[in-house]
Amino acid sequence: MKVSVKWLKTLVDVPADLREFSQRLDLTGTAVEGVEVIGAALEGIVVGQILTRDPHPDADTLWITTVDVGEHNLDADGKPTSLQIVCGAQNFVAGDKVPVALVGAILPDGTPIKKAKLRGIESRGMNCSARELGLGADHAGLLILNTNAPVGVPIAEHLDLSDSIIDLEITPNRPDCMSMLGVAREVATIYDTSYSIGRTVPDPPVGEPVDSLVRVTIDDAALCPRYTARVIRGVKVGPSPDWLVERVTAAGARSINNVVDVTNYIMFELGQPLHAFDLATLTKDAEGRAHIVVRACAEAERFTTLDKVERTLDADVTAIVDGNAAGGAGTTIALAGVMGGLDSEVTEQTCDILLESATFSSAHTSRTSRKLHLFSEASARYERGVDAATCDAFSARAAALMAEVAGGVVCEGVVDGYPELIILPKLNFRTERFRDFVGAAIPEDEIRAILTRLGCTVDLPQVTPPSFRPDLSREIDLYEEVLRVWGMDRVASTLPGGRERIGEATREQQRSALISRTLRGCGLNETMTYSLVSPSDSVLVAMPFEEHQQAVELINPMNSEQSVMRRSILPGLLRSVAYNQSRGVENIHLFETGAVYFAAEGRKLPKERQMLAGVLAGSWNEAGWNTASTPLDFFDGKGVVENLLRELNIPKQRFKALDSNAAPWLQPGRAAEVFSGSKLLGWLGEVHPRVCAALEAVAPVVAFELDLKALLGSAEQARPYRDVPLYPAVTLDVALVVNEQVSAERLVQVITSAGGSLLAAVQVFDVYRDAERIGADRKSVALTLSYRAPDRTLTSDEIEKLHQKVLNKLVGATGGELRS
Amino acid sequence: MSLVTDIEEQQSAVLARIALSGSTAELEELRIAVLGKKGSLTGLLRGMGQVPPEERALVGRLVNELRDVVEAALGLRHEELASAELEARISAEALDVTLPARARPLGTQHLISRLTEEIVEVFRGIGYRVVSGTEIETDYYNFTALNSPPDHPSRGLQDTFYVVDRSGAVAAITGESDVVLRSQTSGVQVHTMEDSELPIYILAPGRVYRRDVADPTHLPQFTQIEGLVVDRGITFGDLKGTLEYFCQQVFGSERKTRFRPHFFPFTEPSAEVDVSCGICGGVGCRSCGGTGWLEILGCGMVDPNVYGFVGINPELYSGFAFGLGVERIACLKYNVPDLRMLLEGDMRFLRQF
């Protein structure tokens, strides 16, 4: 809501320091979104006095004037001297005082004033009309100022044109602040001072009774609690007086004509939206009366609004209807609270005005303006709610003002459709409870004074809020009002002292934090990507156990690129890989924890699963003077996952080769499922080059995605103690040539099982392939076996026997052959 | 007395060679040549059998003396040489310590999760539990039970993401679905009040969604932290004290806070909280728009209507709620110029924090 400080000052005392004023408004709940100073545009335009007026020798309509501008023009000795200005206006005589734009000034329309020659005569400045100063439309001649206007004074100062426009954010619960009157009342409340309604309007001449000209029918009081109609006859539509132009302009509207400007002015002044119909355009009944009907629109009804757009309506829209038209069936002439119609618009020829002052359902108005994308000053007020109690009084003021500025007579009385009188609620205000609630001992007389200033009728504990505050419907609403006016800043700060609470992190929360720490310890950087992805991304990856689940689709996406919810974090991370690679960053180590989403037929709320995913691309490091740069592969990812499982204390880890059908987004042969025992935790692998290409990432990219709940659920709490070895271990190496199909896991299994309790450790230290020397599809795997007894040093006999048994089993179980 | 002369000659010869040996390795060779199994001195001792008995005592004594002298000289020389060699090695091994190290750099925590953790820890310290909710929520929990009017613009398709409802139910609100991507974490409040014993002291961080085009100051998804307290005798002063404590912990003890009355459907009274600008100290500058204050969160006393939805008696209990945007605080604290950077995964950005 734009508030002219100049206008506001006519209603209430406003502090001179606007910064202080703004802060006070901020701290009492009316946020100031900006302050704009106007009048600055008239810089360089001053009061001047025309000393001489001589005809131009070469032009019939031009005059050569000499103009006194005081100190603004000095001669060589520094003494004030007059300016020569060539002027085309005719409405002045020597001695007149006029606005003079000096050389260097810029007119409000952007025209710069320069030294010029007009038909050979030098002109140093410009004598101005009202329109040239942006003050109304009068272009008939120079703006002749009062004879006592002080020469040399800036015109903005002399005409009191400078103003500050404060832009207030009015919260949805404050319909009363959508007017100058309301803001003045609010200012008076917070500064504990008085306010007035402002400009007086003379009583208008009175005409015939209005009910002989209009009748009003309200179909449904829920749509329209009150509709008043007045008639002003014999108006002359024309330009508005300057003061009216200035005020509607300051409020952010455009001056249209005197009749429309009055309706806007009253809306800005009092908060009551008005609509002026051309009475002549409405159909009369046998008694010569127009019939206004307020009712719901017909479905698919078409109607052309003032802005010349034909719109399709529905039964949720409330219409103002010319009830006599169309053979008594009625035709829509306006959309209630939103916009008038083209056919009943006030024009230059309009003579008789039907003035509507009404309240409409805020919900319907709000839906209608949203549906039709029609937002107006009127709809903004109806959306919040307009006070039914004052419809009539405000309309009377509007009618009188219309008669003042446009002439005519105001018909006697009002046609007032007010089916159900609105009853003000009587509320309880328990002072003691209020103090306990706020935590401040606010004295009762201060409470009473504040409530009274707010317009309430106070008889504690009973409080009746004023009609313009429909938001005050409960005791708590009154608490809020008293607190904000008394001052939130005055309430002492305390901390709750409850006994039954412990600030604890659950085990899951602790472990989630551990996961993040571990991955960071492994060198991965935490990131965040969009949950909203494109449908094509969402089909790239699906956890094996989620394959039958659908993606969650948005009804109203912003764009197709973000129209479904992700089913895997991987596509987002791959996009980040591509983002980095395209910017020359090649070593990429990222992880993200977050939800993935699955819909299923018959289920309202989709399933959300918390996942942990990571990607690795490039190398761990750039090559350095003392380090090589090794390209990352599957085993780097596996190492990260193993570290994580170890840190979470997850037992029985297993990596099982993952079939390419089950995980088509991974490169066949470089993909694994991660298990704890038989529980699937997730997958790990190198992303399929085709998937990388689809997301513009450069392969190889190692990735993993683990189910957070499964991880946390598998994590064991206790870590049992085992004796630190006292006796030395004996290590023996084995090299075994086996078929490619025999996995390292299998070899270790056989060795572990054959070695029994005396086998302390087994480790693969080399894998070697050579088709010529060991055969195609075969590999040589070298392992180190450590034997140790917890209670003694093993003898060489014992070890030899055991080792031989292990070797025999190994050969027998794998079909391999030992290399020597 | 040729043997005695021999011994004496050998002694001086050996000592001279010890003194001349240039390295511990050379010295060791010498030691072996003299004292080893086949060493010259060892040979002398072995030859004792041939010494006439009457001379044995004298020769034996001399040979033993010779060995002692040689061993002592060897030891001394070894020490000298070893020490010199160590010095030489150390000086040869000197490094340019300013050369880069050999380490895999630790990973970094995302700014948003770092800040979330920081904020969560502040509230854990004053007795709050952390709870979470789902990101896809019914209209009821996201709006209705939070006292949002049925026609509120925020519920419209323009502002809130709706998802396809596959239950087959006819949705009341939008005509298509009453399932939304939560636009605020406040729904967690309602679930908590429904499900938990009183008193309640909770914090609910999480991802929320609004229909905004991603630009430097907006994201369609961002992170909110919701706080809720419901207990006997909770006052507006408690709300102020709690949030002032929070602001000082997160922004620094020199920062001031102010409460501006505002309007939210689920709290009454409601306020917006500003923290004094860290750049100008509250005088007013470009980064705070000249006001000296930066808006950081919204809060208020829980509206009795909300209690009505969850069956808590507002005559017995009172409480407060607050919600803050982590991205906004990240921007204020770290001067991040473009919110989209938080979702790009640019290593050069992530590794700054």
Side-chain angles (χ1 to χ4, degrees):
Chain A
M1 157 104 184
K2 290 194 184 331
V3 172
S4 149
V5 172
K6 197 168 133 190
W7 185 352
L8 188 63
K9 278 179 173 169
T10 66
L11 309 178
V12 67
D13 281 342
V14 175
D17 182 349
L18 281 188
R19 193 178 148 92
E20 191 277 335
F21 181 53
S22 297
Q23 283 201 359
R24 187 87 185 109
L25 287 171
D26 271 339
L27 290 179
T28 49
T30 313
V32 176
E33 294 192 314
V35 180
E36 187 199 348
V37 178
I38 59 171
L42 298 180
E43 238 171 282
I45 305 175
V46 301
V47 175
Q49 183 165 29
I50 295 174
L51 303 176
T52 61
R53 175 187 192 255
D54 298 307
H56 191 291
D58 295 324
D60 291 346
T61 57
L62 294 182
W63 298 93
I64 301 166
T65 62
T66 53
V67 186
D68 176 11
V69 290
E71 309 274 331
H72 295 288
N73 191 47
L74 303 176
D75 63 15
D77 300 330
K79 294 216 176 82
T81 179
S82 61
L83 282 172
Q84 175 175 291
I85 295 175
V86 177
C87 173
Q90 310 299 327
N91 67 327
F92 66 97
V93 294
D96 276 349
K97 289 182 175 167
V98 296
V100 178
L102 303 169
V103 170
I106 293 170
L107 297 183
D109 69 358
T111 311
I113 301 301
K114 296 180 197 153
K115 200 153 74 172
K117 265 190 181 165
L118 287 156
R119 295 278 178 95
I121 304 290
E122 186 173 82
S123 179
R124 295 173 57 206
M126 177 173 156
N127 301 327
C128 300
S129 70
R131 196 167 82 178
E132 281 154 353
L133 298 185
L135 306 170
D138 191 358
H139 197 42
L142 302 183
L143 176 63
I144 308 296
L145 304 169
N146 268 337
T147 49
N148 59 4
V151 167
V153 166
I155 195 74
E157 186 183 321
H158 171 63
L159 291 178
D160 194 18
L161 294 176
S162 46
D163 193 0
S164 295
I165 307 293
I166 302 186
D167 195 3
L168 297 179
E169 180 199 357
I170 308 295
T171 52
N173 60 327
R174 293 302 301 275
D176 62 301
C177 280
M178 294 295 282
S179 66
M180 293 303 296
L181 178 71
V183 172
R185 191 164 48 214
E186 176 69 14
V187 171
T189 304
I190 62 182
Y191 282 102
D192 193 8
T193 176
S194 58
Y195 68 100
S196 71
I197 195 164
R199 193 181 180 282
T200 47
V201 179
D203 288 339
V206 178
E208 63 211 291
V210 67
D211 51 15
S212 66
L213 297 170
V214 184
R215 63 192 185 101
V216 169
T217 307
I218 297 170
D219 249 19
D220 182 355
L223 299 179
C224 174
R226 191 174 190 184
Y227 193 103
T228 70
R230 275 194 162 74
V231 170
I232 303 96
R233 305 201 71 166
V235 298
K236 191 173 179 315
V237 176
S240 293
D242 291 349
W243 70 266
L244 185 55
V245 174
E246 188 190 318
R247 287 200 167 171
V248 295
T249 311
R254 202 162 42 86
S255 173
I256 312 282
N257 58 47
N258 48 11
V259 170
V260 174
D261 286 358
V262 166
T263 60
N264 282 332
Y265 173 78
I266 294 291
M267 174 173 65
F268 295 132
E269 183 187 54
L270 305 173
Q272 173 65 60
L274 300 168
H275 189 70
F277 295 101
D278 183 343
L279 183 61
T281 65
L282 304 183
T283 321
K284 310 300 179 304
D285 62 12
E287 288 97 59
R289 289 189 300 179
H291 185 199
I292 295 289
V293 179
V294 188
R295 68 174 187 212
C297 281
E299 276 303 336
E301 183 178 335
R302 298 182 79 79
F303 175 66
T304 304
T305 40
L306 265 177
D307 52 4
K308 302 188 173 100
V309 178
E310 191 184 50
R311 298 168 190 278
T312 307
L313 313 173
D314 60 42
D316 194 50
V317 178
T318 308
I320 311 299
V321 171
D322 175 352
N324 296 326
T331 359
T332 296
I333 52 173
L335 305 182
V338 178
M339 198 177 260
L342 195 58
D343 297 340
S344 57
E345 190 190 8
V346 170
T347 65
E348 304 255 308
Q349 286 72 45
T350 301
C351 180
D352 297 339
I353 305 286
L354 187 153
L355 184 65
E356 163 198 295
S357 173
T359 64
F360 302 108
S361 145
S362 47
H364 282 82
T365 318
S366 154
R367 284 197 296 269
T368 300
S369 54
R370 235 167 288 283
K371 200 155 37 193
L372 302 178
H373 300 287
L374 271 178
F375 300 94
S376 60
E377 291 284 351
S379 72
R381 285 166 177 79
Y382 279 121
E383 233 175 77
R384 286 176 160 83
V386 168
D387 185 5
T390 45
C391 279
D392 176 31
F394 291 172
S395 145
R397 180 172 166 87
L401 184 58
M402 221 172 262
E404 182 192 342
V405 301
V409 298
V410 177
C411 292
E412 191 199 344
V414 62
V415 178
D416 192 355
Y418 196 6
E420 288 162 28
L421 203 68
I422 287 163
I423 296 161
L424 300 174
K426 288 184 171 35
L427 306 177
N428 220 22
F429 192 105
R430 290 169 284 172
T431 312
E432 206 47 51
R433 185 168 181 271
F434 168 68
R435 291 181 187 136
D436 288 347
F437 180 83
V438 171
I442 305 174
E444 188 163 298
D445 53 350
E446 282 194 48
I447 293 172
R448 196 179 293 117
I450 288 170
L451 288 169
T452 307
R453 262 146 59 198
L454 286 162
C456 298
T457 309
V458 185
D459 181 15
L460 289 175
Q462 200 180 78
V463 177
T464 308
S467 65
F468 52 80
R469 292 299 304 270
D471 58 309
L472 304 184
S473 60
R474 304 168 301 166
E475 186 177 10
I476 192 78
D477 302 323
L478 298 177
Y479 288 5
E480 191 268 341
E481 286 296 296
V482 177
L483 173 60
R484 77 172 178 89
V485 175
W486 187 73
M488 286 181 170
D489 49 333
R490 294 166 70 187
V491 178
S493 298
T494 51
L495 281 173
R499 288 177 176 176
E500 303 162 57
R501 61 189 153 116
I502 296 169
E504 55 170 6
T506 63
R507 192 162 290 165
E508 287 206 348
Q509 288 163 356
Q510 292 171 21
R511 283 180 181 151
S512 297
L514 177 62
I515 288 174
S516 174
R517 278 202 303 277
T518 305
L519 291 177
R520 278 182 272 142
C522 291
L524 273 66
N525 300 282
E526 189 186 21
T527 188
M528 240 168 55
T529 61
Y530 286 100
S531 305
L532 304 169
V533 297
S534 79
S536 61
D537 282 9
S538 101
V539 297
L540 285 177
V541 184
M543 287 284 280
F545 46 77
E546 296 286 3
E547 59 191 336
H548 300 301
Q549 309 273 14
Q550 297 167 310
V552 176
E553 285 171 56
L554 298 188
I555 288 174
N556 55 339
M558 304 287 293
N559 51 58
S560 62
E561 287 299 292
Q562 297 189 323
S563 60
V564 301
M565 303 294 284
R566 65 183 180 189
R567 295 195 294 174
S568 162
I569 299 176
L570 180 64
L573 289 178
L574 286 175
R575 290 203 180 275
S576 290
V577 169
Y579 184 97
N580 278 292
Q581 287 173 337
S582 70
R583 283 158 181 79
V585 180
E586 269 152 22
N587 299 334
I588 302 153
H589 327 109
L590 297 172
F591 78 97
E592 178 177 358
T593 49
V596 296
Y597 317 80
F598 302 98
E601 219 47 67
R603 203 165 58 196
K604 181 184 267 300
L605 284 174
K607 207 185 281 175
E608 288 176 34
R609 201 184 270 276
Q610 294 295 318
M611 302 298 275
L612 160 65
V615 284
L616 302 172
S619 153
W620 281 120
N621 52 271
E622 307 279 342
W625 70 283
N626 58 352
T627 41
S629 176
T630 316
L632 291 163
D633 68 16
F634 177 89
F635 294 104
D636 292 284
K638 187 177 177 186
V640 170
V641 172
E642 278 182 347
N643 271 340
L644 183 67
L645 299 186
R646 197 252 158 238
E647 198 59 16
L648 284 171
N649 201 15
I650 288 177
K652 293 182 255 166
Q653 313 170 8
R654 270 197 71 200
F655 292 82
K656 196 177 145 203
L658 183 51
D659 196 86
S660 60
N661 297 325
W665 66 92
L666 293 177
Q667 179 172 332
R670 297 196 163 207
E673 282 175 306
V674 185
F675 286 93
S676 166
S678 61
K679 188 168 189 181
L680 180 60
L681 303 178
W683 55 260
L684 155 75
E686 292 186 23
V687 179
H688 199 293
R690 273 198 289 271
V691 172
C692 286
L695 295 169
E696 289 164 3
V698 180
V701 177
V702 185
F704 60 86
E705 189 161 37
L706 305 169
D707 183 306
L708 210 57
K709 202 172 153 201
L711 277 183
L712 298 176
S714 306
E716 285 183 351
Q717 190 62 7
R719 288 183 191 269
Y721 165 80
R722 274 188 222 97
D723 283 326
V724 174
L726 285 175
Y727 298 92
V730 173
T731 61
L732 295 171
D733 291 348
V734 176
L736 189 72
V737 175
V738 288
N739 287 334
E740 279 290 358
Q741 290 76 11
V742 179
S743 68
E745 184 187 44
R746 175 79 184 128
L747 297 179
V748 171
Q749 264 172 4
V750 172
I751 292 168
T752 311
S753 127
S757 63
L758 295 181
L759 182 82
V762 52
Q763 199 179 1
V764 176
F765 72 86
D766 191 33
V767 180
Y768 166 78
R769 292 180 176 85
D770 186 329
E772 278 181 22
R773 292 176 60 189
I774 57 177
D777 284 333
R778 283 165 77 75
K779 60 188 173 186
S780 164
V781 182
L783 306 105
T784 298
L785 282 59
S786 307
Y787 295 98
R788 170 161 48 214
D791 53 353
R792 67 204 142 93
T793 305
L794 290 172
T795 66
S796 46
D797 269 2
E798 262 180 305
I799 294 168
E800 211 161 292
K801 241 172 105 183
L802 181 53
H803 190 59
Q804 197 51 53
K805 179 185 156 203
V806 170
L807 296 183
N808 293 342
K809 285 264 183 186
L810 202 50
V811 171
T814 63
E817 70 193 62
L818 293 168
R819 296 176 80 212
S820 41
Chain B
M1 294 301 281
S2 67
L3 193 58
V4 173
T5 321
D6 203 19
I7 291 167
E8 281 167 353
E9 275 171 12
Q10 194 161 350
Q11 173 168 338
S12 52
V14 168
L15 289 181
R17 282 176 65 194
I18 288 173
L20 284 173
S21 66
S23 69
T24 51
E26 197 182 318
L27 193 67
E28 179 63 8
E29 273 172 31
L30 181 58
R31 187 188 66 79
I32 291 166
V34 178
L35 296 175
K37 278 183 186 166
K38 294 176 182 167
S40 53
L41 195 65
T42 317
L44 277 179
L45 283 167
R46 283 216 184 101
M48 283 297 277
Q50 274 90 56
V51 178
E54 66 277 12
E55 284 179 22
R56 268 187 205 161
L58 175 64
V59 172
R61 187 171 53 80
L62 284 175
V63 170
N64 279 330
E65 272 176 17
L66 170 60
R67 193 179 61 192
D68 289 348
V69 168
V70 168
E71 276 179 353
L74 276 171
L76 214 61
R77 183 65 186 155
H78 184 270
E79 217 164 273
E80 281 171 20
L81 288 173
S83 167
E85 280 169 18
L86 182 63
E87 290 298 327
R89 200 181 92 212
I90 286 173
S91 97
E93 281 174 2
L95 296 179
D96 174 358
V97 296
T98 63
L99 277 168
R102 188 187 300 111
R104 184 188 300 175
L106 291 178
T108 52
Q109 189 171 12
H110 193 268
L111 199 48
I112 295 303
S113 85
R114 178 182 294 263
L115 257 178
T116 304
E117 198 173 288
E118 192 182 323
I119 293 166
V120 159
E121 284 311 313
V122 170
F123 282 97
R124 274 211 183 107
I126 51 174
Y128 287 58
R129 283 184 302 127
V130 174
V131 297
S132 54
T134 55
E135 295 171 22
I136 305 176
E137 190 54 284
T138 56
D139 167 90
Y140 176 82
Y141 284 102
N142 196 62
F143 294 118
T144 309
L146 291 161
N147 202 31
S148 167
D151 287 303
H152 198 271
S154 66
R155 302 176 82 144
L157 288 168
Q158 199 59 41
D159 289 8
T160 296
F161 287 113
Y162 282 79
V163 308
V164 175
D165 176 355
R166 297 183 194 272
S167 68
V170 178
I173 303 296
T174 64
E176 289 190 76
S177 171
D178 63 347
V179 185
V180 301
L181 298 191
R182 66 177 176 189
S183 60
Q184 47 190 5
T185 42
S186 312
V188 180
Q189 276 188 38
V190 184
H191 287 289
T192 306
M193 286 190 278
E194 281 179 349
D195 303 341
S196 306
E197 297 289 311
L198 295 168
I200 291 169
Y201 289 83
I202 58 144
L203 211 61
R207 203 171 264 200
V208 300
Y209 302 85
R210 305 245 170 110
R211 281 194 86 242
D212 280 319
V213 177
D215 68 20
T217 55
H218 297 87
L219 290 175
Q221 78 179 40
F222 55 99
T223 315
Q224 234 184 23
I225 299 182
E226 185 83 10
L228 173 72
V229 166
V230 182
D231 201 348
R232 287 176 192 268
I234 295 294
T235 67
F236 184 81
D238 291 337
L239 167 61
K240 269 188 78 177
T242 300
L243 294 179
E244 275 171 13
Y245 172 73
F246 154 74
C247 289
Q248 294 193 341
Q249 291 292 307
V250 171
F251 293 99
S253 55
E254 74 288 356
R255 305 288 279 273
K256 291 192 227 11
T257 52
R258 69 169 188 179
F259 285 65
R260 281 182 293 105
H262 199 71
F263 173 78
F264 303 114
F266 39 91
T267 48
E268 181 78 343
S270 306
E272 282 182 333
V273 180
D274 297 342
V275 65
S276 58
C277 177
I279 291 172
C280 63
V283 188
C285 65
R286 259 178 57 193
S287 61
C288 57
T291 63
W293 297 96
L294 301 162
E295 181 191 326
I296 50 156
L297 59 85
C299 66
M301 303 298 284
V302 179
D303 193 290
N305 289 359
V306 173
Y307 291 133
F309 282 104
V310 295
I312 290 175
N313 183 352
E315 290 295 320
L316 297 179
Y317 286 91
S318 57
F320 58 76
F322 54 87
L324 56 93
V326 183
E327 280 76 2
R328 174 161 177 78
I329 292 182
C331 287
L332 293 179
K333 267 193 93 155
Y334 297 92
N335 298 319
V336 177
D338 188 334
L339 284 177
R340 290 172 297 187
M341 298 176 89
L342 297 168
L343 290 168
E344 282 161 351
D346 189 325
M347 291 282 289
R348 298 163 301 177
F349 172 73
L350 296 175
R351 294 207 52 83
Q352 292 175 23
F353 305 103

